[in-house]
Amino acid sequence: MKRLMFLLVLCSCILISCHQAIKEFLLIQPSIPSSSADEPQLVIDPQGHSDMVMDVMFTPDGSTLISVSRDKTIRLWNVETGELIKTIRGQIGQGPEGTLYAGALSSDGTILAVSGYPYGAGRYGHPIHLYDLASGKQIDLLKGHERVIYALDFSPDGKWLASGSADNTVRIWQIPGSAGVSPASNADGTSALPGVLKGHTNRVYDVAFSPDGTKVVSASYDGTLRLWELPQDLTGFQNLSGLEYTE
């Protein structure tokens, strides 16, 4: 009995000593500041997407698949081998800032357009990012939408881009350098020359050009499809009304 009591007292002393040592160790360690929201964040690259893939497209020659994901990355894949070729990352922030919802590739395979929930949660606008696919570098921003952009599509000739947004509009943008004209910017920083197609009463979640590039169809959560007939000269047009189709 005495031996058991001795062991219990000894164990208690050891535990008290360990607790005190750990406490003293923590007290003398320098505090580690928490990372600022503006500082780079170290993340593990799994060499694959870690969230839902929102859009996919092939390059014109069919050799490469491009995937756009909610994990804030664009990935290029070798179709034959399945290997990852390149990862493109845009401007990202905390939480959903930088999440990608839509992508489109120009008909010649040189320009990639992507959009989604913007950096700054809309404080700096809701831009469409244009990338040079070969280098992976951003070459331009198209600004004008007032809310998140959910859909993108290039015209067959690659000169124009259609976008659909939660601001209930469809916009038609001239791609910089196309048709021998580079769009200028307005005084408020928005991109000049967007054609604004108004008529939907809820967010637009898909857009597509017709094969001949003369029409655009849009789908909205207002329960309608709208068919928009575009003017022959798209340069400088502003507003159009579309034909409405419902189920």
Side-chain angles (χ1 to χ4, degrees):
M1 186 67 179
K2 290 182 179 180
R3 183 178 178 82
L4 179 59
M5 290 296 294
F6 173 76
L7 291 175
L8 289 174
V9 172
L10 180 61
C11 289
S12 298
C13 292
I14 293 174
L15 289 174
I16 292 171
S17 299
C18 290
H19 176 76
Q20 185 64 29
I22 293 172
K23 186 175 180 180
E24 292 175 356
F25 174 78
L26 293 174
L27 286 174
I28 64 174
Q29 297 308 302
S31 61
I32 301 174
S34 59
S35 60
S36 166
D38 296 328
E39 293 178 354
Q41 302 294 312
L42 180 64
V43 296
I44 297 175
D45 188 346
Q47 298 297 299
H49 288 299
S50 58
D51 206 335
M52 185 184 298
V53 175
M54 303 300 292
D55 217 338
V56 293
M57 62 219 74
F58 287 98
T59 53
D61 62 5
S63 65
T64 303
L65 177 71
I66 304 166
S67 53
V68 176
S69 171
R70 289 172 61 107
D71 67 8
K72 308 179 184 182
T73 68
I74 304 157
R75 295 183 185 267
L76 279 63
W77 309 87
N78 184 300
V79 172
E80 185 175 352
T81 65
E83 294 180 350
L84 178 64
I85 301 171
K86 182 190 303 183
T87 300
I88 301 174
R89 291 180 174 85
Q91 191 175 23
I92 64 176
Q94 297 294 306
E97 295 179 16
T99 299
L100 299 175
Y101 294 146
L105 185 65
S106 61
S107 56
D108 61 3
T110 61
I111 299 177
L112 176 68
V114 297
S115 61
Y117 192 87
Y119 174 76
R123 292 191 301 274
Y124 313 114
H126 293 78
I128 299 168
H129 300 260
L130 300 183
Y131 291 93
D132 175 79
L133 189 64
S135 66
K137 294 181 179 179
Q138 182 173 292
I139 57 176
D140 213 331
L141 288 175
L142 303 178
K143 296 182 180 180
H145 277 297
E146 298 174 359
R147 295 187 66 187
V148 174
I149 300 163
Y150 289 102
L152 298 169
D153 190 46
F154 275 97
S155 62
D157 60 9
K159 296 179 180 180
W160 304 92
L161 179 71
S163 58
S165 167
D167 64 12
N168 304 347
T169 69
V170 176
R171 292 178 184 254
I172 308 296
W173 311 85
Q174 186 177 22
I175 299 304
S178 65
V181 179
S182 295
S185 293
N186 297 319
D188 60 1
T190 59
S191 300
L193 303 181
V196 183
L197 312 183
K198 297 180 179 180
H200 285 298
T201 59
N202 206 332
R203 67 182 183 180
V204 179
Y205 64 84
D206 208 357
V207 293
F209 275 94
S210 62
D212 62 3
T214 62
K215 298 177 180 67
V216 167
V217 64
S218 56
S220 167
Y221 281 104
D222 63 12
T224 69
L225 300 175
R226 285 182 178 264
L227 182 65
W228 312 85
E229 187 168 1
L230 304 177
Q232 288 186 340
D233 182 11
L234 290 173
T235 304
F237 88 91
Q238 289 300 313
N239 299 311
L240 289 176
S241 59
L243 301 176
E244 181 178 309
Y245 294 85
T246 59
E247 293 184 355

